[in-house]
Amino acid sequence: MRRERLMARLIGRSQKPGGGGKASQECCEGSLLGGAGWRREPRPAAGRAMRAAAVGALLALLPLASALQSPGTRRGGRMPEPAEPALRRLSHSLLAHYQKGTRPVRDWRTTTNVAIDLMVYAILSVDEKNQVLTTYVWYRQHWTDEFLRWDPERFDNLTQISLPVESIWVPDILINEFVDVGKSPHVPYVYVSHHGEVQNLKPIQVMTACSLDIYNFPFDVQNCSLTFTSWLHHIRDINLSLWRQPELVKFDRSVFMNQGEWELLYVLSRFQEFSVKSSDSYAEMKFYVVIRRRPLFYTVSLLLPSIFLMVMDIVGFYLPPNSGERVSFKITLLLGYSVFLIIVSDTLPATAVGTPLIGIYFVVCMALLVISLTETILIVRLVHKQDLQPHVPEWVKRLLLERATVLLCIRDRNKFSQSRTQSSDISRQAENDSTARLNQYGCEDPRECETVGGAGPTLASAGQGEGSLLLHGVLREITAIRQFLEKREEFRDVAREWLQVGYVLDVLLFRAYLVAVLAYTITLGTLWSVWRDA
């Protein structure tokens, strides 16, 4: 700066017409020639040339003077500093005298309106036992701070700045259903506009209590609420509102991760006032997160194996009732179903409040298998070991062998009466044959023949008596054989009758069992279909 001033001063003096330059030159010339006693008249051309030479010499000496002057300047003066950035000046201007401990309003009667918004990002877990829902949401807050306003023209047209969240006032908005602190990332800054509008955007891992209804598992729909409210300030201090329109919030799935077990149906929002014991009211903003479970995995791993086992139990009724393989088959199915229930017990949700319908379904299926096994044991008992059984009562014959066959539409029901007629005919024919053979010897009754045989030797000759004794012995053996055959035929008739009763009863129980299984399956299928499409 000094160099520029010196150059300007010298140039100004050298170019002044008839001024100090000419006087100095004449003075110099007078001093040089004054000693000689005479004065020389100045010449204009020579004077201008001398002035130009002097200026050139001074200009040549200016860099040297600057170099000689600069160390002193560095030691004694300061270098000019550049201008401070607009962000720093604005941040210092806003936070220099800011008081973050009080609500940012100039008039204490002014209510601070906080607009909030919610976007569901993911459903992390649903703990049915502890009734806890864990979600990951994008949460946004918006309010006006009257002490964070500025004129953009004073700060290089800066209209928005990010400030540390610890340095300004933040509303105490909490979620009432919080049960644990989640692992949420810390966002240290907020955005502030020149009108004083503050935007606080942050992701939150929310672990909230939720009343989970698992009765419709695995076709259940859960509705969990997230209630945002100020924990301390009344509604006259802090009021809540919705940032966006409710329709936009309801069906917003733009950031939702739709690859997990649960799918997001919609998010409902509602504002309400809440008061405790007639005290001041608090503002609340409720968000209802409605989610639905995807049932494909549980249908494949739980329902289909159970259905297959029940189908095999129904097919087992087509085994002959008088064979012991049906009992072994039913017992094997029952054991297999028990092992299946042990395996899937960890998959079913467990709560102390209620039992899901699918658990009741498994219990009923187990009961049906037990009933099927009991029916099979009863039928096998009827068709085996008939030697110790009495004749079939007449009312059982009329009820099962006559009326039940018509009711069950059994096509070969005529064989029951035919078999009974044939057995009676065979018994009667055997009795007639043996009687005819005995009558050839003049005996109407085998006991008479035995009596006659005993008195024969006294009436006949000695030769004929020996033959008669032999003949009477043969007749006694034949009579015993006839009685044995009649007894065995009687046992066969009893066995045949009980087998017929067992066959009809087996068909009756099978159809009743089939109707019960079909009705139970249709009922559950209808309920699950309604819940699935609800």
Side-chain angles (χ1 to χ4, degrees):
M1 297 294 291
R2 291 182 179 181
R3 184 177 62 182
E4 294 175 356
R5 293 175 188 156
L6 181 60
M7 289 175 61
R9 188 180 302 171
L10 291 174
I11 294 174
R13 289 180 179 179
S14 63
Q15 293 180 354
K16 185 182 292 184
K22 184 175 180 180
S24 62
Q25 182 181 2
E26 290 177 354
C27 180
C28 292
E29 288 178 355
S31 63
L32 290 175
L33 300 176
W38 59 277
R39 184 173 181 177
R40 183 180 176 183
E41 289 292 328
R43 291 177 295 182
R48 286 196 297 271
M50 289 179 65
R51 286 196 298 270
V55 171
L58 291 174
L59 291 176
L61 292 175
L62 281 177
L64 180 60
S66 175
L68 294 175
Q69 189 181 4
S70 60
T73 305
R74 292 192 184 95
R75 288 191 301 267
R78 291 183 178 178
M79 294 294 293
E81 296 181 358
E84 190 176 8
L87 284 174
R88 290 188 179 181
R89 290 190 291 112
L90 178 57
S91 177
H92 180 73
S93 174
L94 294 176
L95 302 179
H97 304 286
Y98 188 84
Q99 298 290 333
K100 69 176 184 178
T102 58
R103 195 162 54 91
V105 290
R106 299 187 183 276
D107 185 5
W108 65 272
R109 301 176 185 84
T110 304
T111 301
T112 302
N113 187 21
V114 180
I116 62 178
D117 188 20
L118 186 71
M119 301 173 66
V120 180
Y121 182 76
I123 306 297
L124 300 182
S125 66
V126 178
D127 189 353
E128 294 89 355
K129 183 177 182 180
N130 298 318
Q131 300 285 294
V132 175
L133 172 67
T134 304
T135 56
Y136 195 80
V137 299
W138 289 3
Y139 175 63
R140 300 190 294 177
Q141 289 179 340
H142 176 274
W143 70 92
T144 300
D145 194 322
E146 297 181 3
F147 300 108
L148 296 179
R149 294 175 178 174
W150 69 90
D151 186 6
E153 296 181 356
R154 294 178 53 195
F155 300 95
D156 195 16
N157 294 323
L158 186 62
T159 60
Q160 196 174 32
I161 187 174
S162 60
L163 296 178
V165 69
E166 292 85 2
S167 301
I168 66 172
W169 179 87
V170 178
D172 57 335
I173 305 298
L174 300 178
I175 301 178
N176 290 341
E177 293 85 358
F178 256 132
V179 294
D180 195 4
V181 179
K183 299 178 181 179
S184 304
H186 177 64
V187 180
Y189 297 100
V190 295
Y191 262 123
V192 183
S193 66
H194 68 284
H195 296 296
E197 298 176 354
V198 184
Q199 296 183 10
N200 186 12
L201 315 176
K202 56 183 177 181
I204 306 176
Q205 180 178 339
V206 184
M207 300 182 66
T208 56
C210 179
S211 179
L212 301 174
D213 185 11
I214 61 171
Y215 182 75
N216 302 337
F217 175 87
F219 305 98
D220 50 335
V221 177
Q222 306 297 340
N223 186 357
C224 299
S225 63
L226 302 177
T227 306
F228 293 85
T229 182
S230 175
W231 192 255
L232 179 64
H233 296 84
H234 304 296
I235 192 173
R236 65 174 180 267
D237 294 332
I238 294 181
N239 192 14
L240 300 181
S241 62
L242 196 60
W243 193 333
R244 297 182 295 169
Q245 295 295 327
E247 292 77 11
L248 299 178
V249 177
K250 182 177 181 179
F251 298 105
D252 187 6
R253 302 187 188 92
S254 57
V255 299
F256 181 71
M257 294 181 60
N258 197 22
Q259 301 297 328
E261 178 183 354
W262 296 87
E263 61 176 330
L264 178 65
L265 296 182
Y266 46 84
V267 179
L268 300 177
S269 57
R270 187 183 67 178
F271 173 80
Q272 65 181 12
E273 295 184 10
F274 173 74
S275 61
V276 180
K277 295 181 180 180
S278 301
S279 61
D280 294 333
S281 299
Y282 296 86
E284 288 185 351
M285 182 62 69
K286 279 184 172 290
F287 292 93
Y288 297 94
V289 180
V290 183
I291 57 178
R292 179 173 58 191
R293 193 192 306 266
R294 292 187 173 93
L296 180 59
F297 169 75
Y298 299 99
T299 302
V300 173
S301 60
L302 298 181
L303 294 180
L304 289 183
S306 177
I307 293 174
F308 291 156
L309 291 175
M310 294 303 298
V311 170
M312 292 305 299
D313 181 65
I314 294 174
V315 173
F317 278 94
Y318 288 93
L319 290 174
N322 57 348
S323 65
E325 296 298 329
R326 182 190 284 192
V327 177
S328 301
F329 182 74
K330 299 283 186 178
I331 293 176
T332 304
L333 284 179
L334 187 60
L335 292 177
Y337 202 85
S338 302
V339 174
F340 168 72
L341 291 183
I342 294 174
I343 294 174
V344 304
S345 60
D346 296 335
T347 307
L348 296 178
T351 60
V353 179
T355 303
L357 183 60
I358 191 172
I360 301 175
Y361 164 75
F362 289 146
V363 173
V364 173
C365 288
M366 176 70 77
L368 290 175
L369 289 176
V370 173
I371 293 173
S372 174
L373 178 61
T374 305
E375 185 267 343
T376 301
I377 294 174
L378 176 63
I379 298 302
V380 172
R381 175 66 180 85
L382 289 177
V383 299
H384 284 79
K385 296 183 179 180
Q386 298 88 357
D387 296 344
L388 303 179
Q389 293 181 0
H391 289 276
V392 179
E394 293 296 328
W395 65 272
V396 176
K397 293 181 181 179
R398 289 193 300 270
L399 182 63
L400 293 179
L401 301 183
E402 295 178 4
R403 298 181 181 179
T405 53
V406 177
L407 180 64
L408 298 176
C409 300
I410 298 177
R411 298 179 180 178
D412 52 350
R413 60 179 180 271
N414 294 327
K415 69 179 182 180
F416 301 142
S417 59
Q418 292 178 1
S419 61
R420 292 196 300 273
T421 305
Q422 290 176 0
S423 61
S424 59
D425 292 342
I426 293 173
S427 177
R428 191 177 298 106
Q429 183 179 359
E431 183 179 358
N432 293 333
D433 292 343
S434 60
T435 304
R437 290 174 184 174
L438 292 174
N439 288 337
Q440 293 178 1
Y441 298 96
C443 299
E444 297 291 339
D445 192 355
R447 287 172 292 185
E448 295 178 359
C449 293
E450 292 177 359
T451 304
V452 174
T458 59
L459 301 176
S461 61
Q464 294 177 353
E466 184 178 356
S468 298
L469 289 175
L470 181 61
L471 180 61
H472 287 296
V474 173
L475 291 176
R476 283 193 298 269
E477 294 296 334
I478 293 174
T479 303
I481 292 173
R482 188 190 71 175
Q483 294 175 353
F484 174 76
L485 292 177
E486 290 177 352
K487 191 69 175 177
R488 187 178 66 177
E489 191 64 27
E490 182 181 0
F491 289 157
R492 287 181 178 177
D493 291 341
V494 172
R496 192 177 295 110
E497 290 176 354
W498 282 111
L499 181 61
Q500 295 167 359
V501 171
Y503 175 76
V504 176
L505 187 62
D506 181 63
V507 174
L508 177 62
L509 294 178
F510 166 68
R511 296 189 180 181
Y513 180 80
L514 185 61
V515 169
V517 172
L518 290 178
Y520 180 63
T521 304
I522 292 174
T523 303
L524 288 183
T526 304
L527 289 177
W528 282 333
S529 299
V530 171
W531 294 334
R532 180 68 179 84
D533 299 333

